[in-house]
Amino acid sequence: MLEGTVVSVPEKGARRHPRGDNIQIDTKNILFICGGAFVDLEKTISERRHDSSIGFGAPVRSNMRTGSVINAEITSTLLESVESGDLIAYGLIPEFVGRFPVLVSLSSLSEDQLVEVLTKPKNALGRQYTKLFGMNDVKLHFTEKALRLIAKRAISKNTGARGLRSILETILTEAMYEIPEIRTGKDKIDAVVVDEESVGSVNQHGFGAKILSGEGALDLYLDKQNKELVVRQSDGEPEVDAETPSRVANM
């Protein structure tokens, strides 16, 4: 099929309609692109290259296969030099590997790229949750430090962009249960804020999203953050991007 032939494809699926009609397809002019997550393939590549371990804290090569999760940057560097023989040693049959002349690896996402995934695309996770909270007339606000902590946690878990949703769910779950309750006056929820305290550290969970009640509570919170920022800068602390307090407020 990969090299070009006429194959019969079930029109409505072979399992539900085993005796259904088949469609003849010529695969001669079809470009097949196959991909997957080859776990620990980088260890096979490292053994083939006979990579040595030099320096304090460097993993010993003989223990690389039995070691813990490898840094994503190291993995990306090793996968760039993948060859057909590595895939065969990994377990794929030569007849299959030999029919794919071009092998390409994808680099892991950096911290800045993961932050963009959270905020920039049309259907970004930040925009999705903002719209979800907006259905209950509640604003959702992320600080810049919180976004970067979320990205760092995804990198530390080696889950990449796919792990961002589970991290956000953990942070926002309690707030999502609180918001639907009907409240009035000072108890009415105005906004939900996710800051560094909400996220926690890279290896430890935080306290969850902060719920701000009362009319104009988010504006008061942002004003307070801006005043604290001015005070820190006047005390000689390094200058912070002015966009920091309201990175996702306008999404």
Side-chain angles (χ1 to χ4, degrees):
M1 183 175 71
L2 295 173
E3 293 179 336
T5 186
V6 178
V7 297
S8 298
V9 180
E11 184 179 5
K12 297 182 179 179
R15 292 184 179 179
R16 294 186 178 181
H17 305 85
R19 298 182 181 179
D21 297 333
N22 293 331
I23 301 175
Q24 302 295 317
I25 297 179
D26 187 357
T27 64
K28 182 173 63 176
N29 296 320
I30 297 178
L31 174 64
F32 290 91
I33 301 176
C34 299
F38 299 90
V39 181
D40 290 344
L41 176 60
E42 68 278 1
K43 298 178 181 179
T44 302
I45 299 171
S46 177
E47 291 178 356
R48 188 253 302 168
R49 292 173 50 181
H50 299 290
D51 289 337
S52 59
S53 52
I54 301 176
F56 294 103
V60 180
R61 189 178 65 84
S62 59
N63 296 333
M64 189 175 184
R65 183 165 294 280
T66 58
S68 59
V69 178
I70 304 173
N71 185 282
E73 294 182 2
I74 298 176
T75 301
S76 299
T77 303
L78 289 170
L79 291 178
E80 288 177 358
S81 58
V82 64
E83 297 178 357
S84 300
D86 299 323
L87 295 175
I88 295 172
Y90 185 77
L92 300 180
I93 60 175
E95 294 80 4
F96 179 75
V97 176
R99 287 174 167 82
F100 291 92
V102 180
L103 300 178
V104 179
S105 65
L106 299 178
S107 301
S108 60
L109 296 177
S110 65
E111 180 183 324
D112 291 335
Q113 289 171 331
L114 287 173
V115 172
E116 289 185 2
V117 171
L118 283 168
T119 58
K120 293 293 181 66
K122 185 178 180 181
N123 62 337
L125 289 174
R127 296 177 186 269
Q128 292 181 27
Y129 282 102
T130 299
K131 188 171 183 179
L132 179 65
F133 280 60
M135 296 173 73
N136 289 288
D137 198 23
V138 175
K139 307 178 187 72
L140 177 61
H141 173 75
F142 292 85
T143 65
E144 179 75 14
K145 290 183 179 179
L147 291 172
R148 295 204 168 272
L149 280 172
I150 293 171
K152 288 178 181 177
R153 183 177 292 181
I155 292 173
S156 67
K157 292 183 177 181
N158 276 342
T159 54
R162 291 185 179 90
L164 294 174
R165 182 179 289 276
S166 63
I167 296 173
L168 287 176
E169 284 286 339
T170 303
I171 297 170
L172 297 171
T173 296
E174 186 175 347
M176 286 191 286
Y177 277 103
E178 292 286 339
I179 287 173
E181 295 184 8
I182 300 175
R183 302 180 183 183
T184 57
K186 294 182 179 180
D187 294 331
K188 183 180 180 181
I189 298 176
D190 179 63
V192 172
V193 173
V194 178
D195 57 9
E196 52 269 31
E197 293 181 355
S198 304
V199 180
S201 62
V202 175
N203 300 317
Q204 187 176 4
H205 293 291
F207 301 106
K210 297 179 178 179
I211 299 176
L212 305 181
S213 300
E215 187 177 354
L218 179 59
D219 295 332
L220 294 174
Y221 172 84
L222 294 177
D223 289 340
K224 181 180 178 181
Q225 295 298 312
N226 288 329
K227 290 178 181 178
E228 292 179 357
L229 179 61
V230 172
V231 171
R232 287 198 299 267
Q233 290 179 356
S234 63
D235 291 340
E237 290 192 14
E239 215 173 297
V240 184
D241 187 359
E243 186 187 11
T244 298
S246 56
R247 175 65 179 262
V248 193
N250 297 323
M251 287 198 313

